[in-house]
Amino acid sequence: MAGHTGTEDLLRLHAPQVLGALVRRYGRFDLAEDAVQEALLAAAGQWPSAGLPDNPRGWLIRVASRRLTDMLRAEEARRAREERAAALGVRETAVADRAPREDDTLSLLFLCCHPQLTPSAQIALTLRAVGGLTTAEIARAYLVPEATMAQRISRAKQKVRGVGFGRPENWEERLPAVLHTLYLIFNEGHTATSGPALQRRDLAGEAIRLTRTVHRLLPDDCEIAGLLALMLLTDARRDARTGPDGDLVPLDEQDRTRWDGPAIQEGVGLVTRALARRYAGPYQIRAAIAAVHDEAPSAEQTDWREILGLYDALVRLVPGPAERLNRAVAVAMVHGPRAGLAELDGFEGESGHRLDAVRGHLLERAGSYEEARAAYESAAGKTLSLPEQRYLRGRAARLRSRRP
């Protein structure tokens, strides 16, 4: 354990488990979250100079439980209930010495996806409490001011105040929100929305761990299997996605010998079994697309016609901008860059750096180098990810001297 970045990674790993332990014991999500944040701040200030404790998670639980006990004592004092406040001293020792249950984080996930919350509040609260993202990071992902997102998260915490902790009886009804949230956490880990690093492996790993847990509990649900397969097949390429300096390496230029073979094998097996059992849902189709990419011996041998057919099916189920944009790339690979550019005409009015990046790529393939350069520059100006900025500006720079 060395350095500020290592401390941040460790705190992000333990934060959901510590929060789950406190909520399970005290049942006060709003105050527990505040107490955990205070413990994290204390650790960030002490650990780099004083050294890592033997049991970092236990240290965080003890400090957070003390903070929470103080909060509860103050609250009970205001209500003139000294007897209950006095009893909390015993509870503090119990929770500090007790290891979190294996499924505490999963129970916390279902609590964050409580049906009384709107879908946007469910996702924001889960990304904050379970995914470990900062309020600023979540705000950037949703393109809203940080203050607005802070209020949204605060209101969500108040709504789940007093809700019993544990696996709910109707948890199947919460599965769509839970799976979507896990998908967003993984995506943030796979390609960070901002910062100096392209990937945040701690988030991707946590999303995979949680999805494995959900899959163990509901092994016959094909969409859970599809989501886990999608994560494994996508994460299998992570070592090849960046160069020695952390620069982005596009899929068609990656060294496929660096891909994780066992992860690909597991992911292909999961999606194959899931597709054989029932009607394919969106996560299964996305996983099937990832499997086609991962099983291709080279970029040139990728079966783009199969991928286009899968995107056709996906867009019928989920006609979102990301799905349509990826389908436009597949159209270009099968029918040529001009056909792909024609697909982008329907995106007028939709913002985002990926649209400009795809447009630049297709214009470059079509030989329209000046237009491609402008599109790359526009995309670079819209992303907060430094590796993506460097990559896009590098593509634009290479086109300055080229002529149609």
Side-chain angles (χ1 to χ4, degrees):
M1 177 71 192
H4 181 64
T5 301
T7 300
E8 287 184 347
D9 291 342
L10 191 61
L11 293 177
R12 190 185 296 276
L13 172 66
H14 288 307
Q17 301 167 11
V18 175
L19 179 56
L22 264 67
V23 175
R24 169 166 50 84
R25 189 69 181 94
Y26 292 103
R28 288 295 301 273
F29 182 92
D30 51 342
L31 295 181
E33 212 268 345
D34 292 340
V36 170
Q37 291 306 309
E38 290 190 26
L40 295 177
L41 288 173
Q46 295 179 30
W47 291 1
S49 58
L52 187 68
D54 293 336
N55 182 358
R57 185 172 61 183
W59 188 97
L60 289 168
I61 291 175
R62 283 192 296 274
V63 173
S65 63
R66 292 190 191 113
R67 299 288 197 276
L68 180 56
T69 299
D70 291 341
M71 294 176 188
L72 289 170
R73 281 176 175 152
E75 183 178 273
E76 295 304 319
R78 287 194 300 268
R79 298 178 183 179
R81 294 178 182 172
E82 293 85 355
E83 295 84 2
R84 182 179 177 187
L88 288 171
V90 178
R91 297 177 70 186
E92 174 190 340
T93 303
V95 72
D97 295 338
R98 181 178 179 182
R101 293 175 182 171
E102 182 181 356
D103 63 347
D104 270 351
T105 306
L106 180 61
S107 297
L108 184 61
L109 178 62
F110 279 98
L111 175 63
C112 292
C113 295
H114 194 278
Q116 290 184 3
L117 301 175
T118 64
S120 60
Q122 291 172 346
I123 292 168
L125 185 60
T126 304
L127 289 174
R128 181 75 177 87
V130 185
L133 275 68
T134 66
T135 303
E137 289 168 334
I138 303 170
R140 281 195 294 270
Y142 280 89
L143 303 176
V144 299
E146 183 176 350
T148 301
M149 184 56 67
Q151 291 176 354
R152 185 180 301 174
I153 293 173
S154 179
R155 288 194 298 267
K157 288 195 293 184
Q158 290 299 320
K159 281 193 174 182
V160 298
R161 177 177 176 175
V163 174
F165 187 70
R167 191 197 315 173
E169 294 181 358
N170 60 339
W171 68 335
E172 290 87 350
E173 297 177 8
R174 302 189 196 179
L175 270 179
V178 168
L179 297 185
H180 184 53
T181 299
L182 292 172
Y183 185 46
L184 289 179
I185 295 172
F186 176 80
N187 286 343
E188 177 65 27
H190 182 66
T191 303
T193 55
S194 64
L198 179 68
Q199 305 174 92
R200 293 170 56 176
R201 299 189 178 193
D202 54 343
L203 287 184
E206 181 68 4
I208 292 173
R209 185 187 73 81
L210 287 171
T211 307
R212 282 192 187 281
T213 303
V214 179
H215 179 56
R216 276 201 308 272
L217 293 170
L218 291 176
D220 295 328
D221 189 290
C222 296
E223 273 292 79
I224 297 174
L227 178 59
L228 178 57
L230 173 62
M231 291 179 178
L232 292 170
L233 292 165
T234 305
D235 193 60
R237 311 177 203 132
R238 66 180 182 182
D239 289 341
R241 294 184 66 227
T242 54
D245 298 325
D247 290 335
L248 185 153
V249 179
L251 180 62
D252 59 346
E253 298 177 16
Q254 290 176 14
D255 179 1
R256 300 186 177 217
T257 63
R258 300 183 64 196
W259 289 1
D260 187 340
I264 293 173
Q265 184 176 7
E266 182 183 0
V268 169
L270 278 167
V271 69
T272 300
R273 290 189 295 272
L275 289 172
R277 290 206 301 265
R278 56 158 287 174
Y279 168 77
Y283 292 117
Q284 296 168 70
I285 297 175
R286 292 186 181 104
I289 293 169
V292 175
H293 281 296
D294 285 11
E295 291 188 305
S298 66
E300 294 74 21
Q301 294 174 277
T302 302
D303 190 343
W304 280 102
R305 290 190 179 277
E306 182 178 358
I307 290 175
L308 177 56
L310 289 167
Y311 271 121
D312 287 339
L314 180 60
V315 168
R316 285 194 292 270
L317 294 175
V318 187
E323 290 75 21
R324 290 162 50 216
L325 190 58
N326 288 332
R327 180 184 175 278
V329 174
V331 169
M333 298 303 294
V334 174
H335 300 296
R338 292 295 176 187
L341 286 166
E343 294 288 329
L344 299 185
D345 291 341
F347 284 76
E348 295 305 325
E350 297 187 42
S351 60
H353 78 281
R354 286 201 66 237
L355 174 58
D356 287 337
V358 169
R359 193 186 303 278
H361 173 66
L362 298 186
L363 286 167
E364 181 180 0
R365 289 191 61 217
S368 300
Y369 300 130
E370 187 59 29
E371 293 178 76
R373 185 193 62 77
Y376 283 137
E377 290 284 5
S378 176
K382 293 178 180 178
T383 179
L384 297 175
S385 167
L386 298 183
E388 287 186 330
Q389 288 179 9
R390 290 195 299 270
Y391 171 76
L392 292 164
R393 286 177 178 146
R395 300 287 297 196
R398 286 196 292 269
L399 295 177
R400 292 184 187 280
S401 60
R402 297 194 66 176
R403 293 292 181 266

